[in-house]
Amino acid sequence: MDDTTSHTPALPAFRPATGDCRWEGVAEHAYKDEGSAPFKAITRRVLFGDPRLACELRYFEIAPGGYSTLERHEHVHGVMILRGTGTCLVGTEIRAVSPQDLVSIPPLAWHQFRAAADAPLGFLCMVDTARDRPQLPDADALAALRRDPAIAAFLAGN
Ligand code: MN
């Protein structure tokens, strides 16, 4: 019996780190299509996207002063901070984050990551391979979020 095909890896077994959260054989991609949603200074790398996995592990890096899209969706994120510092909003909670912190983003929680003004923010993000599209806040949802002064300041980048 020849089961070579099912055992053929989609990726090399080893892809060494090349320093500073970069890896051999891992390409940098745009975070999202430009103009599809608000974001600033963020890149995406797919570390594990094997179709035989039910999940993907991505590495996102936000340059100083940048931010991810404020969004929500049914799928959940498991996030581990890998480098730098910043802040994140999950639901109505804002927290400072630094390397090795773990952040769980539940279904339909508004979330956004912001790098510090003087440091990048790099993090791993695990997601289901099959997932719903992110929703962006409409004017009413934004107004509701901004009613909390701490969230208003966070969204303004302060
Ligand atoms: Mn998300």
Side-chain angles (χ1 to χ4, degrees):
M1 180 181 132
D2 182 0
D3 62 356
T4 309
T5 306
S6 65
H7 291 177
T8 302
L11 289 168
F14 299 98
R15 289 169 295 152
T18 55
D20 273 344
C21 293
R22 301 290 182 265
W23 298 267
E24 212 171 279
V26 176
E28 177 183 307
H29 299 285
Y31 169 61
K32 290 178 178 172
D33 292 336
E34 205 64 50
S36 62
F39 60 87
K40 184 183 173 190
I42 175 166
T43 57
R44 175 174 62 94
R45 288 170 171 78
V46 179
L47 305 183
F48 296 97
D50 190 309
R52 295 166 297 188
L53 288 168
C55 65
E56 291 178 5
L57 187 66
R58 299 90 48 85
Y59 173 71
F60 293 95
E61 194 170 286
I62 310 177
Y67 49 84
S68 64
T69 301
L70 174 65
E71 62 179 30
R72 69 177 188 177
H73 35 66
E74 292 282 356
H75 63 273
V76 307
H77 289 315
V79 169
M80 182 180 189
I81 308 300
L82 223 50
R83 75 179 299 196
T85 55
T87 50
C88 71
L89 168 72
V90 179
T92 56
E93 195 171 359
I94 297 161
R95 293 287 285 269
V97 289
S98 55
Q100 300 179 27
D101 285 347
L102 303 176
V103 182
S104 295
I105 299 168
L108 295 180
W110 292 113
H111 57 282
Q112 185 175 55
F113 287 82
R114 288 179 172 268
D118 57 353
L121 181 65
F123 57 91
L124 301 172
C125 179
M126 183 168 57
V127 278
D128 287 345
T129 303
R131 55 187 183 269
D132 61 315
R133 295 191 67 81
Q135 307 164 20
L136 302 179
D138 61 16
D140 287 348
L142 266 180
L145 283 164
R146 287 190 178 124
R147 242 167 259 144
D148 179 331
I151 295 177
F154 171 87
L155 294 176
N158 301 322

